[in-house]
Amino acid sequence: MGLTEKEAAERLRTEGENVFGESRKAVPVKIFLGQFKDVMVMILLAATVVSVLLGEITDAVTIILIVLLNAILGFVQEYRTEHTLEALRSMTSPTAKCWRDGKLTEIDAAKLVTGDIIELEAGDRIPADGVVLKAAGFFTDESILTGESTAVGKTAGDTTDRDNSLNKPNIVYCGASATKGTCRAEIIATGKNTQMGRISEMLTDIDSEATPLQKRLAELGKIVAIICLVVCAAVFGAGVLRGENAFDMLMTGITIAIAAIPEGLPATVTIALALAVSRMLKQKALVNKLHSVETLGCTSVICSDKTGTITENKMTVTELSTVSENYGFSGMGYRVSGAVTKGDNIAVNPMTEKALTEALRCGVVCSTAEISAHEAPKSRNRGTLAGKGEWKVTGDPTEAALLIAAAKAGITRESLSGSCRVIEEYPFDSETRFMAVHCQWGSEKRIYFKGAEEVLLPRCSQYMDENGKASPMTAAVRRELEERAADMSDKALRVLALAVCTSENFDPDRGNLVFLGFAGMTDPPREEAKTAIRKCASASVKTVMITGDHKNTAVAVAKKAGLLKGGKAITGAELDKLTDEELDRDIGKYTVFARVEPVHKLRIVKSFKRRGEIVTMTGDGVNDAPAVKEADVGVAMGVTGTDVTKQAADVILMDDNLATLVNAVEQGRCVYANIRKFVRYLLSCNIGEVLTMFLGMIMGMPVVLLPVQILLVNLVTDGLPAVALGMEQPESDIMSRPPRRSGEGFFAGGLMWKIVIRGIFIGLSTLASFTTVMRMGGSVEACRTAALITLVVSQLIHVFECRSERKSIFRMNPFGNMKLVGAAFLSVAALAAAVMIPQLQLVFSTVTPDMVQLLAALGFSFAVPVLANLMHNS
């Protein structure tokens, strides 16, 4: 049976290993050099060269240290992410049970070739695509490929079939999990030829795009470059017109232009992003690509997978309907606590409800799943179970749901073991569509059945009444049960019929079953997802659900999750009938996309992007990977996500929770707001410095500030305060504002106007301080010292103004950002040391100001925010 080792080795040489193609691991040197591609960094490197040529070695060393710090921060973040992702990569099955040389051996799954025959059982990961040769009650979870949350039954069909198209009952697919039963299959496709491999190949056709922040920073870099050229030309022209030496004026112009460069900006942006990444990791979101943090902030559409993201991916029995009564079960998912009720939430004692008890016994007996809890749950009264945490589940999720429902009624496999002994088990078969268990129950023998309603109900000639007695199944009762099953299906409940036969020799065609009840189960929406969807709506972020599940199921879940308000549902087949133009026009009407395939998901994302939306796409299966990569921000699931999807994603949710993604969107908005804040701060300050030097020279004054004093200003104002500003917490209303438009410029909302006006105020106040002390008879050193104090203090006051674009400094809590308070204190201390300590006075050419000079310098510093606030309120 199977291939010989020699045949397998020959095929391995021609076909290659059973792998998808190793992803190119990022080389550390390449990651590091990639940090220098930014426009601002290139300008800084050019400024370093110019500084060296001018003999300003101190300036050059300072700039190069800042550039290196920025590169190291970016490198550490990306390199650490690479290693974290390596730890998460665990998609393909590491081993496979394969027949070689007539013996069943365990081999490395990468060594599988076509023609190999493998054995599969519950819990196995399928290592390659294969045709089923033999199966016994075999089910697989193919959700990673199809998005379908329900296990799929597999049967032997045409064993010569070599077509591995999706959704075939005689084909098992690579990456899917075996949930129940056993199977023998022949490998028909490996590696890139499997369905999973083909989808992963689609990823190579999708090009990476610059993020909105990278585009904005490139735009900012160009503006700064233009400002530098304009300043250089203006100083040069003004000096030549005054009769100064042309070469000296060119050098002076270049020096002032370099002062205009916000050299702290790249490092501060990187630090702000890295801090956001750290905060997001604590909130269970791992960022793969640093700049994607900010892109999340301008997300306008979230395309979310259903299973496990909006829902819990834990089947739960919520209803059980007997002929005489409808029962409800509280406690969603695998939570230990829960209760059984009937009617208008009336507590029941299951032991007095004969039909209910027998139906739950049937569910326990007809189950191969296992549930266990850390601590034994307590039942304060029958029908109510109290306990902490969740059940640990192994086996089929549907059968586990029945076990958990029975446990809430005090019925467990252990409690039945004394009175029920299994004689024979007939596994679920996709042809008969039911499972049966023959058991000895006390002195009598019974056969319990669990299966499809349309299969078992017609075979029921009796039903169990409220007293536990078998009564004849009348046409009226049968009609009522059919309607009840239809009602449960309309509520997107998966309906299972439960029945029993007390005859030892059951003949399926005779139909002598006793109907016990219908169990209705669902994959419930996460409570956090409901909250997250409401939060998105208030933030003007559209949330849509994309799933491979049936349309009715998807719509029912969407209603429960609060997604369908005013929106419509559409299937993949209906999408195929629309042209791209029609889809682009109407896509805003839909909030649910059901029965979709990978190509549909990719098309949906592209359509939203063509409409100018910033799209975030979540996914866990290989079928999601192309759309995840195409989206502006791709988000993979860390728990259920596949290797291919994680590699394609920008962000990985470690808890598979939509609420975590919404928190990440909030952090992204906060990051962009903070970047705008310190860009405003740094540019305003640099404009103030340039104007101080430029206007002083135009007015024929002595050099207002010496180069070493300008360096001191940059050290105490551009460093710690700007970084601390990047740590500002999100403003309370940040998630009640609409996302910014994709084409919106960095300086939108009048930011450039604020920067220029504030820079002019800082420059004029510094010049006013210099001239005032000069008129008081102060020395040139005293004038420069006063100007230095005014320039630094006015900038430190301005950093507090930059904490909000909507509130003035007088309407904000000054201690709302204690890191900023600390940074400002250190900067003031450094300024005081440079002005007061004799040794530092020699270095920075300063003198100790007298009280009048100090008050004048501080007065001009505080005049700036007062004037700015008056203008703001006018």
Side-chain angles (χ1 to χ4, degrees):
M1 184 186 291
L3 302 175
T4 64
E5 287 290 353
K6 185 178 179 182
E7 288 172 330
E10 184 61 37
R11 291 190 186 186
L12 190 64
R13 273 194 294 274
T14 56
E15 297 174 5
E17 289 197 335
N18 178 35
V19 293
F20 303 141
E22 290 297 319
S23 59
R24 294 188 298 275
K25 292 186 180 179
V27 181
V29 174
K30 191 175 179 181
I31 294 175
F32 185 72
L33 293 177
Q35 310 303 315
F36 297 93
K37 293 179 181 176
D38 186 78
V39 176
M40 279 296 303
V41 172
M42 290 178 180
I43 293 173
L44 288 173
L45 291 174
T48 305
V49 173
V50 173
S51 297
V52 170
L53 294 175
L54 293 175
E56 299 291 345
I57 303 301
T58 308
D59 280 4
V61 170
T62 302
I63 295 171
I64 206 71
L65 284 175
I66 287 170
V67 170
L68 281 173
L69 174 64
N70 175 63
I72 290 167
L73 282 168
F75 169 78
V76 168
Q77 179 60 38
E78 283 191 39
Y79 192 68
R80 183 191 300 154
T81 302
E82 279 294 319
H83 277 268
T84 310
L85 283 172
E86 283 296 322
L88 285 168
R89 288 167 186 163
S90 57
M91 179 58 232
T92 51
S93 173
T95 60
K97 294 186 283 291
C98 176
W99 290 92
R100 290 278 175 90
D101 291 325
K103 296 177 184 177
L104 186 63
T105 56
E106 195 165 280
I107 66 169
D108 184 345
K111 305 301 180 187
L112 281 175
V113 294
T114 57
D116 267 327
I117 294 176
I118 59 170
E119 299 286 346
L120 298 166
E121 60 185 20
D124 287 347
R125 178 82 75 176
I126 298 167
D129 290 2
V131 61
V132 177
L133 303 178
K134 187 172 70 174
F138 190 66
F139 282 76
T140 64
D141 176 0
E142 297 175 0
S143 58
I144 62 165
L145 287 166
T146 63
E148 281 274 14
S149 55
T150 307
V152 181
K154 297 293 177 181
T155 55
D158 178 6
T159 56
T160 63
D161 190 358
R162 294 296 178 268
D163 176 14
N164 65 334
S165 301
L166 284 173
N167 301 312
K168 294 181 69 174
N170 67 321
I171 303 293
V172 291
Y173 300 98
C174 177
S177 301
T179 60
K180 192 164 63 171
T182 59
C183 172
R184 177 177 293 167
E186 180 185 343
I187 302 301
I188 60 173
T190 62
K192 295 178 182 178
N193 295 319
T194 63
Q195 278 295 327
M196 185 183 293
R198 288 175 191 170
I199 296 172
S200 67
E201 286 291 292
M202 290 171 66
L203 300 174
T204 59
D205 299 330
I206 301 170
D207 297 323
S208 297
E209 296 180 11
T211 68
L213 179 61
Q214 288 170 323
K215 292 174 184 174
R216 302 296 168 265
L217 290 177
E219 172 192 313
L220 178 60
K222 290 172 186 174
I223 290 172
V224 168
I226 291 168
I227 289 172
C228 290
L229 291 173
V230 169
V231 166
C232 185
V235 170
F236 174 76
V240 169
L241 288 174
R242 276 179 51 189
E244 301 286 348
N245 180 277
F247 181 77
D248 288 345
M249 284 300 95
L250 179 61
M251 292 301 101
T252 303
I254 291 172
T255 304
I256 295 175
I258 290 173
I261 297 172
E263 61 269 19
L265 182 58
T268 312
V269 168
T270 305
I271 290 168
L273 291 171
L275 288 170
V277 165
S278 178
R279 288 195 297 269
M280 287 167 66
L281 191 55
K282 289 175 185 174
Q283 296 174 350
K284 306 290 186 184
L286 170 71
V287 176
N288 182 3
K289 297 177 179 117
L290 199 63
H291 281 266
S292 61
V293 175
E294 180 277 333
T295 312
L296 272 169
C298 50
T299 294
S300 56
V301 174
I302 294 177
C303 298
S304 176
D305 189 29
K306 177 183 76 69
T307 307
T309 309
I310 291 176
T311 66
E312 295 195 6
N313 197 20
K314 296 169 183 173
M315 293 302 288
T316 307
V317 173
T318 57
E319 294 182 24
L320 197 149
S321 181
T322 65
V323 170
S324 55
E325 191 62 74
N326 288 323
Y327 300 92
F329 292 76
S330 64
M332 285 297 180
Y334 294 161
R335 293 175 186 81
V336 169
S337 59
V340 186
T341 58
K342 68 178 179 179
D344 295 326
N345 209 26
I346 301 168
V348 299
N349 178 356
M351 294 301 108
T352 64
E353 309 285 330
K354 302 297 184 183
L356 169 65
T357 301
E358 192 65 8
L360 291 173
R361 282 176 185 162
C362 176
V364 172
V365 172
C366 292
S367 173
T368 57
E370 298 284 345
I371 61 171
S372 58
H374 263 307
E375 298 177 17
K378 297 172 184 175
S379 181
R380 288 192 294 270
N381 57 301
R382 291 186 182 277
T384 303
L385 198 65
K388 294 180 180 178
E390 296 191 338
W391 294 101
K392 181 183 177 184
V393 170
T394 53
D396 184 79
T398 301
E399 294 185 350
L402 289 169
L403 290 179
I404 292 170
K408 292 169 185 174
I411 301 170
T412 64
R413 189 169 280 131
E414 291 73 24
S415 70
L416 298 180
S417 59
S419 53
C420 179
R421 180 176 62 85
V422 175
I423 299 171
E424 191 173 1
E425 183 179 301
Y426 308 94
F428 188 97
D429 188 279
S430 56
E431 291 182 12
T432 63
R433 297 179 68 196
F434 65 76
M435 173 189 187
V437 177
H438 193 182
C439 61
Q440 183 78 38
W441 189 272
S443 59
E444 69 174 337
K445 291 182 179 178
R446 300 178 187 175
I447 306 175
Y448 285 104
F449 292 83
K450 174 196 73 180
E453 166 266 327
E454 61 268 30
V455 172
L456 290 185
L457 186 58
R459 294 175 178 176
C460 292
S461 57
Q462 297 174 293
Y463 68 88
M464 186 168 285
D465 63 22
E466 65 269 23
N467 299 314
K469 305 294 183 184
S471 299
M473 177 73 73
T474 63
V477 171
R478 190 183 302 279
R479 191 162 48 251
E480 183 191 339
L481 288 173
E482 288 170 350
E483 289 172 0
R484 209 178 290 179
D487 288 341
M488 292 170 81
S489 294
D490 288 343
K491 291 189 285 186
L493 294 178
R494 184 181 179 195
V495 182
L496 280 180
L498 303 167
V500 66
C501 176
T502 54
S503 171
E504 285 193 42
N505 301 310
F506 167 68
D507 180 357
D509 297 322
R510 273 173 45 207
N512 55 346
L513 297 187
V514 178
F515 175 80
L516 299 176
F518 291 137
M521 56 188 70
T522 184
D523 181 9
R526 290 174 181 257
E527 288 302 319
E528 318 93 283
K530 295 179 187 177
T531 305
I533 289 165
R534 285 196 298 271
K535 199 171 183 180
C536 283
S538 67
S540 300
V541 176
K542 181 182 176 72
T543 308
V544 301
M545 186 170 78
I546 303 179
T547 178
D549 271 346
H550 192 277
K551 187 175 182 179
N552 289 352
T553 304
V555 167
V557 170
K559 283 179 180 174
K560 290 178 184 175
L563 257 180
L564 207 61
K565 296 175 181 175
K568 296 180 180 179
I570 188 172
T571 64
E574 290 168 333
L575 274 176
D576 288 334
K577 297 174 183 176
L578 299 176
T579 65
D580 284 348
E581 291 75 20
E582 289 171 333
L583 180 60
D584 292 351
R585 185 186 68 236
D586 296 335
I587 197 166
K589 299 176 183 177
Y590 302 107
T591 52
V592 174
F593 298 87
R595 287 292 192 205
V596 293
E597 295 178 4
V599 66
H600 296 134
K601 296 183 180 186
L602 193 58
R603 194 177 172 209
I604 291 164
V605 170
K606 286 181 175 179
S607 179
F608 275 123
K609 287 178 72 176
R610 285 194 296 268
R611 284 167 57 104
E613 307 284 4
I614 300 294
V615 183
T616 292
M617 171 77 192
T618 75
D620 54 1
V622 177
N623 60 325
D624 300 315
V628 164
K629 188 171 182 181
E630 174 66 34
D632 295 290
V633 182
V635 180
M637 302 297 117
V639 179
T640 58
T642 61
D643 178 48
V644 175
T645 313
K646 287 173 186 172
Q647 290 180 60
D650 303 299
V651 178
I652 297 171
L653 301 184
M654 308 301 284
D655 59 358
D656 293 12
N657 195 336
L658 183 66
T660 301
L661 176 59
V662 176
N663 289 337
V665 170
E666 184 173 13
Q667 287 296 335
R669 289 191 175 192
C670 177
V671 162
Y672 187 72
N674 286 352
I675 290 172
R676 275 176 63 101
K677 288 170 187 175
F678 57 68
V679 164
R680 173 188 173 188
Y681 169 65
L682 290 173
L683 290 185
S684 295
C685 294
N686 284 16
I687 287 172
E689 292 168 24
V690 169
L691 276 177
T692 298
M693 302 295 290
F694 180 55
L695 291 178
M697 190 181 68
I698 294 292
M699 293 163 65
M701 297 165 61
V703 176
V704 178
L705 292 170
L706 299 175
V708 71
Q709 291 171 334
I710 289 286
L711 179 61
L712 174 64
V713 172
N714 287 340
L715 284 174
V716 299
T717 62
D718 285 6
L720 287 176
V723 171
L725 195 58
M727 297 180 183
E728 192 73 28
Q729 291 298 309
E731 293 185 57
S732 58
D733 63 342
I734 198 165
M735 286 300 283
S736 61
R737 306 173 199 159
R740 67 183 187 280
R741 297 183 304 279
S742 58
E744 183 179 289
F746 193 86
F747 299 101
L751 185 64
M752 180 56 85
W753 176 250
K754 290 177 185 176
I755 289 169
V756 171
I757 293 297
R758 199 64 173 80
I760 291 171
F761 278 165
I762 290 171
L764 292 178
S765 62
T766 304
L767 285 173
S769 180
F770 185 97
T771 53
T772 299
V773 173
M774 180 180 283
R775 287 178 180 171
M776 290 178 182
S779 63
V780 173
E781 289 76 13
C783 294
R784 286 174 178 154
T785 301
L788 178 66
I789 292 170
T790 301
L791 186 58
V792 171
V793 173
S794 61
Q795 289 187 14
L796 291 178
I797 293 170
H798 182 48
V799 77
F800 286 92
E801 289 181 298
C802 291
R803 288 181 57 213
S804 174
E805 291 186 39
R806 289 169 168 77
K807 298 178 184 176
S808 75
I809 191 172
F810 301 107
R811 291 170 55 210
M812 286 185 284
N813 176 10
F815 303 106
N817 183 347
M818 288 307 296
K819 292 182 178 68
L820 184 58
V821 173
F825 177 80
L826 289 175
S827 296
V828 170
L831 173 65
V835 170
M836 305 295 290
I837 297 174
Q839 291 84 348
L840 293 178
Q841 286 178 337
L842 291 173
V843 174
F844 293 107
S845 302
T846 57
V847 294
T848 303
D850 60 33
M851 186 56 67
V852 176
Q853 292 170 346
L854 181 61
L855 288 173
L858 292 176
F860 282 113
S861 302
F862 283 97
V864 177
V866 172
L867 283 172
N869 189 59
L870 289 173
M871 288 184 66
H872 179 80
N873 293 328
S874 61

